[in-house]
Amino acid sequence: EAGVAQSPRYKIIEKRQSVAFWCNPISGHATLYWYQQILGQGPKLLIQFQNNGVVDDSQLPKDRFSAERLKGVDSTLKIQPAKLEDSAVYLCASSSGLAGDGTGELFFGEGSRLTVL
Amino acid sequence: GDSVTQMEEPVTLSEEAFLTINCTYTATGYPSLFWYVQYPGEGLQLLLKATKADDKGSNKGFEATYRKETTSFHLEKGSVQVSDSAVYFCALLNTNAGKSTFGDGTTLTVKP
């Protein structure tokens, strides 16, 4: 079974530029998550999708971050314009369960490391 | 809101030493509890989990018991190996909201 795929693995941009990250979850997984992991910290949830609908985006800085999962499969996270404090690893995860059914386990991709100069 | 607190200082042990990494949580309701591990250069992966009070999760010689009375889920291993060197994350799943919250991770280095 293929795991969660993410691209690009690394990206370096200047502040105020834009960047997009792509994620393809494990086939059949209904729930998809984007996390931000700043160096030395644990993953922080940005947005959670169930199929193609948003379940939770309360921690997403909507003035600069956007995310979509149009067909309920793969997803794109965009940052525009980027700030220095956006330097982090952006993790995509998926799970087979639906939000609230408590099945639990998250399957993570290897992450996309963003450096903003 | 939900939160997870784990020891943040890096842990350095000699091979075959006993390991404990502390984890405590704050949550409403009855969360499920997890330990995830991140080996160098790899993504996070599930190490073990427990879904209700007094459950013990175990895998690869690691164990953790869900203690509701102390809101804790401490990770233990009786004899660590060099290959256990990694970052360990404690996490909880709010089963009502379907939302996971992570601690800040503990780096374990095992020396031969």
Side-chain angles (χ1 to χ4, degrees):
Chain A
E1 178 180 74
V4 176
Q6 289 190 246
S7 68
R9 288 293 310 276
Y10 304 92
K11 189 75 176 178
I12 300 174
I13 61 174
E14 301 276 339
K15 61 183 179 183
R16 290 190 289 276
Q17 287 186 323
S18 63
V19 63
F21 302 111
W22 174 82
C23 172
N24 193 29
I26 292 174
S27 178
H29 278 193
T31 311
L32 184 149
Y33 312 76
W34 283 102
Y35 285 87
Q36 180 191 59
Q37 186 178 16
I38 293 172
L39 185 65
Q41 299 181 17
K44 300 292 192 295
L45 181 67
L46 292 175
I47 188 167
Q48 177 180 343
F49 293 94
Q50 180 172 306
N51 296 313
N52 61 347
V54 175
V55 174
D56 184 350
D57 64 356
S58 58
Q59 300 303 307
L60 188 73
K62 298 181 187 61
D63 57 333
R64 298 183 300 106
F65 286 64
S66 64
E68 60 184 15
R69 193 185 185 199
L70 292 176
K71 297 183 180 178
V73 181
D74 58 346
S75 175
T76 303
L77 175 71
K78 296 180 181 177
I79 307 174
Q80 181 180 7
K83 292 185 174 182
L84 296 177
E85 59 260 37
D86 298 332
S87 294
V89 177
Y90 291 86
L91 298 170
C92 180
S94 69
S95 67
S96 58
L98 302 178
D101 74 359
T103 52
E105 180 180 358
L106 300 181
F107 294 82
F108 284 87
E110 293 183 330
S112 295
R113 182 178 297 278
L114 173 66
T115 301
V116 182
L117 303 176
Chain B
D2 300 339
S3 66
V4 175
T5 301
Q6 59 180 110
M7 51 196 294
E8 296 178 7
E9 292 298 316
V11 176
T12 301
L13 296 173
S14 297
E15 210 165 19
E16 300 183 2
F18 183 85
L19 168 71
T20 300
I21 300 178
N22 291 336
C23 171
T24 58
Y25 67 90
T26 302
T28 55
Y30 302 96
S32 295
L33 301 175
F34 303 81
W35 278 99
Y36 286 84
V37 59
Q38 187 171 30
Y39 297 106
E42 300 183 14
L44 278 81
Q45 58 187 276
L46 180 68
L47 179 61
L48 54 83
K49 71 177 184 181
T51 57
K52 62 183 187 296
D54 300 324
D55 267 3
K56 178 184 286 187
S58 60
N59 186 26
K60 300 182 179 181
F62 291 89
E63 294 182 339
T65 301
Y66 189 142
R67 301 289 188 197
K68 191 170 186 301
E69 63 277 12
T70 55
T71 61
S72 65
F73 193 55
H74 305 321
L75 182 68
E76 295 182 337
K77 186 174 185 181
S79 176
V80 295
Q81 305 301 312
V82 172
S83 56
D84 294 326
S85 297
V87 183
Y88 292 82
F89 293 91
C90 185
L92 69 83
L93 170 67
N94 182 315
T95 54
N96 291 327
K99 180 178 174 180
S100 293
T101 301
F102 288 79
D104 283 337
T106 301
T107 300
L108 170 66
T109 302
V110 180
K111 297 186 174 180

